[in-house]
Amino acid sequence: MTPDSPAALNLARRTTELAALADDPAVDLVVIGGGVTGAGVALDAAARGLRTVLVERNDFAFGTSRWSSKLVHGGLRYLASGRVGIAHESAVERGILLRTTAPHLVRPLPQLVPLLPDITRAQSSLIRAGFAAGDALRIAARTSADTLPRSRRVAAAEALRLAPTVRRAGLRGGLQAWDGQLVDDARLVVALARTAAAQGAAVLTRVEAVAATGDSVRLRDTLSGETLEVRARAVVNATGVWAAEVDHSIALRPSRGTHLVFDAAAFGGLTAALTVPVPGSISRFVFALPAAHDRVYLGLTDEDAPGPIPDEPKPTEAEIDFLLATINTVLREPLTRADIRGTFAGLRPLLETDDDSTADISREHAVLTAPDGLITVVGGKLTTYRQMAEDAVDAALARSRLSAAPCRTATLPLVGAVTGADRDRIDAPPVLIERYGSEATRIVAAWLADPTLAEPVAPGIDVTAAEFDFAITHEGALTTDDLLDRRTRIGLVPTDRTAATPAAEAAFTRRTATR
């Protein structure tokens, strides 16, 4: 599978771009952090014509950006606390993702609240009013009902079709609304980074920012140990919960969101976001979400997470108990710990308010400028990454007095983006189109050229050897962990990870042999 695209990221391109940076270390903008926000900043800046460098000390989506619920949501919960501005911004950005940015990676998802005896008529009316407000947000954001249908009440039979394992006794139907869901949050980040590369950005993983100011960054290649001083007209710190490690004046209050991973069979073929109110709250819910690789993700918690920031946060026993207890209030047969195939948790880089609970902390983002000119973008959430990136680049331009074209990302599709009749004409299995969009034909071509590449990477796993190869030649994967944990989500289930590791190792051997 030969890389023949300006969006192809691989080891050879990394080597070339590091050498070019060493020869000419003066750039317009350095972005530190390869999560959704940093990749969004790099794309925005490169698309405006700035010489842009993105550095990430690990891999794309290594931190918070791979631990989300994979929802692209319209900000409904923020209306409950009167935050109309961020709710509207979320709805607008959701529409841009669905229509333009990544229609191959974001799909409409029905959301179902089953009306069981535990939900009173008054609570039902309140939820229905909230869904109606969500309809108003959608309309205000100019997202058509053809894309996201209006909310409605459904009969018990329809509720059971969407969520077959819901309790039948006392079920009086359900309330249904629609939102957006990512096929995979990490794949969105990779697509952003690749599109930034196609726009001319140097995109470098395994490169650490050892020190940074508003006009310089000392970089270290973690593969070779070599260091490099880069001069920049502006520097953006987009490292999320690690922002204080780059700018020591930053203080955040991280919140941990935990999810459990189940086989789809445990939920009987769930096709909606099964939405269960948290007892005692009018604005918090637990969601069971159909997910890639025939899984269901159950989340999510919202707990204070003080102390050192780990690379991979871990759920607590109490969080696991809470999620199981909440979802079991609506299921015919309760789930137990034996049903759990895996777990994951992520830390949100929240801006602290006067409230005590992280559940009440604002999801608004902020762009902060340090005395030395270093710009930090923090807060926010995955859905609004594009607006965060635009604001950060605007701040960089204002501070550096660089001239650049206007922001283009609201109308700029990511690599692979395809929709409508063009999507229907792609000759590839639907599961590939959901992951790769128009590039799915590259995977099929590899299968045809070498039928062994059409084999699953392990029994029962819907990922083929060609997809591992594509991740190495086009998506910047440098290690087996990149393949298992971020280009695919095989690693969320430990037994699957063990089974697929030999195929991941073989892919690197195969690609080395062809170079």
Side-chain angles (χ1 to χ4, degrees):
M1 199 177 300
T2 304
D4 54 359
S5 163
L9 296 176
N10 48 54
L11 182 60
R13 180 167 181 167
R14 178 185 183 275
T15 301
T16 298
E17 291 188 335
L18 274 171
L21 191 58
D23 290 340
D24 183 6
V27 303
D28 293 327
L29 180 69
V30 172
V31 186
I32 306 170
V36 68
T37 305
V41 172
L43 173 56
D44 187 305
R48 298 196 202 197
L50 300 179
R51 186 187 179 198
T52 303
V53 176
L54 168 68
V55 295
E56 160 59 48
R57 67 182 175 186
N58 291 298
D59 182 33
F60 303 123
F62 183 84
T64 304
S65 293
R66 64 170 156 149
W67 303 129
S68 77
S69 294
K70 288 63 177 166
L71 289 177
V72 176
H73 60 86
L76 181 57
R77 67 171 292 186
Y78 309 123
L79 289 182
S81 54
R83 296 176 178 135
V84 178
I86 189 172
H88 177 69
E89 179 180 89
S90 297
V92 169
E93 294 301 320
R94 176 186 63 185
I96 292 171
L97 273 162
L98 279 163
R99 291 189 306 270
T100 303
T101 306
H104 60 309
L105 295 176
V106 187
R107 61 191 176 195
L109 178 72
Q111 176 181 355
L112 176 73
V113 179
L115 295 176
L116 288 160
D118 290 343
I119 295 183
T120 66
R121 302 283 179 180
Q123 287 175 308
S124 174
S125 296
L126 191 61
I127 294 169
R128 184 70 188 90
F131 283 175
D135 290 337
L137 276 176
R138 173 188 59 77
I139 293 168
R142 299 183 178 180
T143 300
S144 76
D146 291 335
T147 301
L148 292 176
R150 67 185 301 274
S151 62
R152 63 191 181 111
R153 180 163 180 160
V154 298
E158 177 68 3
L160 289 169
R161 185 187 68 79
L162 294 168
T165 56
V166 164
R167 288 203 330 257
R168 297 172 185 266
L171 181 65
R172 57 183 193 274
L175 299 176
Q176 184 190 71
W178 289 77
D179 223 331
Q181 183 187 31
L182 276 164
V183 172
D184 187 337
D185 45 8
R187 293 203 62 77
L188 174 68
V189 179
V190 171
L192 283 164
R194 293 182 61 211
T195 309
Q199 294 289 325
V203 179
L204 304 168
T205 59
R206 268 75 184 192
V207 174
E208 179 182 14
V210 178
T213 68
D215 57 11
S216 67
V217 183
R218 183 183 310 127
L219 302 177
R220 183 175 73 89
D221 179 353
T222 65
L223 299 184
S224 69
E226 296 180 358
T227 61
L228 172 66
E229 295 283 344
V230 176
R231 300 185 304 278
R233 297 286 296 276
V235 179
V236 173
N237 170 21
T239 54
V241 289
W242 292 277
E245 295 181 9
V246 180
D247 181 351
H248 300 301
S249 69
I250 300 295
L252 300 175
R253 185 175 174 180
S255 164
R256 185 175 55 252
T258 286
H259 294 79
L260 311 180
V261 182
F262 297 86
D263 285 332
F267 284 84
L270 183 70
T271 56
L274 178 56
T275 304
V276 182
V278 172
S281 173
I282 63 170
S283 62
R284 289 191 62 204
F285 298 86
V286 161
F287 303 91
L289 303 160
H293 308 312
D294 205 25
R295 306 291 183 214
V296 168
Y297 301 152
L298 174 63
L300 100 145
T301 62
D302 203 335
E303 301 294 333
D304 243 338
I309 306 298
D311 280 349
E312 294 197 18
K314 300 297 182 184
T316 65
E317 296 302 309
E319 287 173 309
I320 294 172
D321 289 341
F322 162 77
L323 291 172
L324 285 173
T326 304
I327 197 67
N328 281 337
T329 63
V330 305
L331 300 180
R332 283 197 306 277
E333 297 292 334
L335 295 168
T336 69
R337 285 176 175 258
D339 296 304
I340 299 171
R341 297 294 310 279
T343 64
F344 63 93
L347 297 180
R348 309 176 186 91
L350 302 183
L351 298 175
E352 192 165 5
T353 66
D354 293 332
D355 300 312
D356 291 331
S357 169
T358 55
D360 296 322
I361 292 178
S362 174
R363 264 53 170 183
E364 293 181 23
H365 67 272
V367 178
L368 312 172
T369 303
D372 66 5
L374 176 65
I375 294 165
T376 296
V377 53
V378 288
K381 55 199 179 70
L382 185 146
T383 305
T384 59
Y385 84 89
R386 193 206 63 81
Q387 186 63 58
M388 295 169 66
E390 180 178 346
D391 291 348
V393 175
D394 285 346
L397 292 173
R399 190 256 167 191
S400 63
R401 294 186 173 85
L402 277 166
S403 60
C407 177
R408 296 175 48 211
T409 53
T411 57
L412 180 63
L414 300 187
V415 59
V418 66
T419 189
D422 289 338
R423 180 183 179 125
D424 295 339
R425 284 191 289 267
I426 296 175
D427 188 12
V431 68
L432 289 186
I433 299 172
E434 288 180 353
R435 293 174 190 166
Y436 302 97
S438 62
E439 292 189 312
T441 54
R442 294 179 180 270
I443 306 300
V444 174
W447 293 350
L448 295 174
D450 182 353
T452 65
L453 296 180
E455 295 297 318
V457 296
I461 295 176
D462 64 349
V463 175
T464 65
E467 292 174 76
F468 277 180
D469 280 16
F470 186 78
I472 296 168
T473 59
H474 287 74
E475 296 181 336
L478 300 179
T479 70
T480 58
D481 288 351
D482 295 351
L483 295 179
L484 297 169
D485 298 331
R486 289 168 291 275
R487 303 307 179 277
T488 69
R489 308 316 290 273
I490 294 171
L492 289 176
V493 175
T495 54
D496 288 351
R497 192 181 204 286
T498 299
T501 294
E505 294 170 344
F508 280 102
T509 300
R510 186 165 56 246
R511 297 315 308 171
T512 299
T514 59
R515 279 202 292 267

